[in-house]
Amino acid sequence: MSAIVVSPLARIAEMAVRHKAREMISLLAEGQDFHRPGVIDAARHLKLGIHDITFAGTGDLVAPQEVHVAQIIDFARSWDQASPLVVHCWMGVSRSPAAALVASLAVRPDDDEMELATRLRQVSPYATPNARIVEIGDRLLGRGGRLVAAVKAIGRGADADGNAPFVLPLTPSGDRLP
């Protein structure tokens, strides 16, 4: 069974070890240094230097761009799914849930966007996926606006303190990792 573990930065090592992950996507501001968990294969760690903003042209902040989302898609498609994929950002609330949705649809293109967004909301009442990542992912994956609409339909998540990792199963059957 495959899943995507979404985590705040502070809990990536714990989540990687607990779920026996070997691959990871990091979405943090450029230069925001951290220690990659030893169980994550350095060759299978995608690091993207982006801020949690939804529009470009905000001073020195780097908005997610098409090239970043394309890298998420390519990385997800090369993931062997033998173990969960960890996706993290600073708080695990915006950039990483958006990347998890995009990665999920990259590996399961026949999935329904609304069902996926509903599954996200079920496993995380706090997730508020970054709209720019979702929009770019929708376009690159040829979803015709359905992913954007599904994320809008689940609405903004509850206020979060950045300490609520969650597991997004790739199957709607309810398979869950402990």
Side-chain angles (χ1 to χ4, degrees):
M1 165 192 38
S2 294
I4 298 173
V5 178
V6 177
S7 178
L9 175 61
R11 296 192 57 194
I12 58 173
E14 173 194 350
M15 293 297 105
V17 170
R18 177 184 296 173
H19 298 289
K20 299 177 176 56
R22 300 289 176 258
E23 301 173 76
M24 184 166 73
I25 298 174
S26 301
L27 302 106
L28 295 169
E30 193 66 45
Q32 190 172 12
D33 292 326
F34 63 97
H35 178 73
R36 177 182 41 80
V39 298
I40 300 296
D41 180 353
R44 295 298 303 152
H45 181 197
L46 174 62
K47 292 186 276 186
L48 299 174
I50 58 175
H51 291 88
D52 187 19
I53 57 177
T54 58
F55 53 91
T58 311
D60 293 334
L61 302 181
V62 177
Q65 301 293 322
E66 188 170 306
V67 66
H68 301 121
V69 180
Q71 288 177 294
I72 293 168
I73 292 168
D74 290 344
F75 189 88
R77 288 180 174 159
S78 69
W79 167 38
D80 69 9
Q81 300 178 43
S83 62
L85 171 65
V86 173
V87 180
H88 81 92
C89 58
W90 180 252
M91 291 186 65
V93 173
S94 183
R95 288 170 285 183
S96 51
L101 291 171
V102 170
S104 182
L105 288 173
V107 299
R108 295 184 55 92
D110 294 334
D111 280 359
D112 178 78
E113 298 84 358
M114 193 64 228
E115 190 283 324
L116 176 61
T118 300
R119 190 174 348 132
L120 173 71
R121 178 57 68 231
Q122 289 170 346
V123 297
S124 176
Y126 307 105
T128 302
N130 178 286
R132 187 174 176 94
I133 294 172
V134 169
E135 180 183 313
I136 295 169
D138 185 294
R139 186 169 25 82
L140 292 179
L141 292 168
R143 306 312 283 202
R146 294 182 307 275
L147 181 58
V148 170
V151 170
K152 283 182 182 175
I154 64 168
R156 182 184 186 284
D159 288 345
D161 66 3
N163 192 24
F166 63 90
V167 176
L168 179 64
L170 291 186
T171 61
S173 67
D175 294 341
R176 301 277 194 269
L177 291 177

